[in-house]
Amino acid sequence: LAKTTQPISMDSYEGQEVNITCSHNNIATNDYITWYQQFPSQGPRFIIQGYKTKVTNEVASLFIPADRKSSTLSLPRVSLSDTAVYYCLVGEVAGNNRKLIWGLGTSLAVNP
Amino acid sequence: EPEVTQTPSHQVTQMGQEVILRCVPISNHLYFYWYRQILGQKVEFLVSFYNNEISEKSEIFDDQFSVERPDGSNFTLKIRSTKLEDSAMYFCASTRQGASNQPQHFGDGTRLSIL
């Protein structure tokens, strides 16, 4: 069972780059690392996913070192609307299904 | 972009009553999930469903819970004889394949309030 550890909260300012690091020491060989964003009273939204090295999409970048025991979500030039809870997940594969184990996430506050 | 939709957005029910939460997964998705989130707490896995049967369930998903895919589009969660502690946000999710590299797509949830 691959658990994750993230900072409980972070503060930032508009226009800054935000890096949220997650540790997952017991990640399994076949597991991918996935990050979700959640606004109050909404469902989690998929941000980015990776297996190793670096992944970039239009929203964020994900950096994964060679040992895969941690990962860093990078949000470039955050805005007020990026204030949300960010979850790092490593799914437990059970047969053909993937049961996501959630932590408390990182509550990011972006200030003007 | 296709979305997972859930109805109702808010359900208020008397303790002891039955409630059915409805979800319409993304149309070409094959794997379905229910999660719940008690206010201020973690998102918790309840159950996964594939090929018209439960694939896995958590210890939360006891005999008062059941899931069904009554037709080709809906996926429902039924809670029989609701308790106060069932009050939570319930999220439905779906994924195209069950492999580890397929992200789950979530609906915006149903807020269930038990009185």
Side-chain angles (χ1 to χ4, degrees):
Chain A
L1 183 63
K3 293 185 178 178
T4 59
T5 304
Q6 307 173 230
I8 293 293
S9 63
M10 294 182 69
D11 278 282
S12 184
Y13 292 92
E14 284 188 289
Q16 288 190 334
E17 177 183 84
V18 171
N19 296 308
I20 306 174
T21 297
C22 176
S23 65
H24 26 79
N25 291 320
N26 297 321
I27 188 170
T29 304
N30 295 331
D31 279 343
Y32 279 66
I33 300 152
T34 310
W35 285 79
Y36 284 84
Q37 174 193 57
Q38 187 180 28
F39 298 111
S41 299
Q42 292 187 23
R45 295 275 182 250
F46 171 77
I47 301 174
I48 198 167
Q49 181 172 262
Y51 185 80
K52 62 181 179 181
T53 63
K54 178 184 174 183
V55 179
T56 297
N57 62 22
E58 63 277 6
V59 176
S61 294
L62 179 60
F63 299 91
I64 305 168
D67 65 7
R68 304 198 332 120
K69 294 187 175 185
S70 66
S71 58
T72 299
L73 174 73
S74 181
L75 304 172
R77 297 179 299 282
V78 293
S79 63
L80 296 176
S81 62
D82 293 317
T83 294
V85 180
Y86 292 82
Y87 297 95
C88 161
L89 295 114
V90 176
E92 177 179 324
V93 176
N96 286 324
N97 291 291
R98 185 179 181 209
K99 178 175 74 177
L100 294 179
I101 307 298
W102 299 75
L104 287 172
T106 297
S107 180
L108 173 66
V110 180
N111 302 293
Chain B
E1 183 178 319
E3 293 182 345
V4 174
T5 57
Q6 291 186 241
T7 55
S9 56
H10 191 187
Q11 174 79 45
V12 181
T13 302
Q14 291 288 330
M15 184 173 60
Q17 297 296 306
E18 175 183 284
V19 65
I20 297 176
L21 310 183
R22 292 184 165 79
C23 169
V24 178
I26 295 173
S27 62
N28 63 347
H29 285 193
L30 302 176
Y31 295 83
F32 314 114
Y33 310 82
W34 282 101
Y35 293 84
R36 81 172 184 190
Q37 186 175 31
I38 295 170
L39 185 64
Q41 298 187 24
K42 302 177 188 180
V43 176
E44 300 173 289
F45 169 79
L46 293 178
V47 66
S48 58
F49 190 88
Y50 170 72
N51 199 26
N52 284 319
E53 59 183 30
I54 290 173
S55 304
E56 188 175 3
K57 58 184 181 181
S58 70
E59 60 269 18
I60 301 169
F61 194 89
D62 60 22
D63 290 343
Q64 71 166 142
F65 291 91
S66 62
V67 290
E68 191 178 29
R69 188 155 164 82
D71 52 44
S73 59
N74 290 285
F75 179 51
T76 62
L77 174 69
K78 181 190 290 186
I79 310 175
R80 289 180 283 272
S81 189
T82 49
K83 306 175 217 171
L84 293 176
E85 54 264 38
D86 294 328
S87 295
M89 286 289 291
Y90 288 81
F91 295 108
C92 171
S94 68
T95 187
R96 186 161 53 87
Q97 298 174 15
S100 183
N101 62 340
Q102 294 297 319
Q104 293 180 17
H105 296 264
F106 286 75
D108 277 336
T110 293
R111 180 179 300 281
L112 178 62
S113 300
I114 306 300
L115 304 179

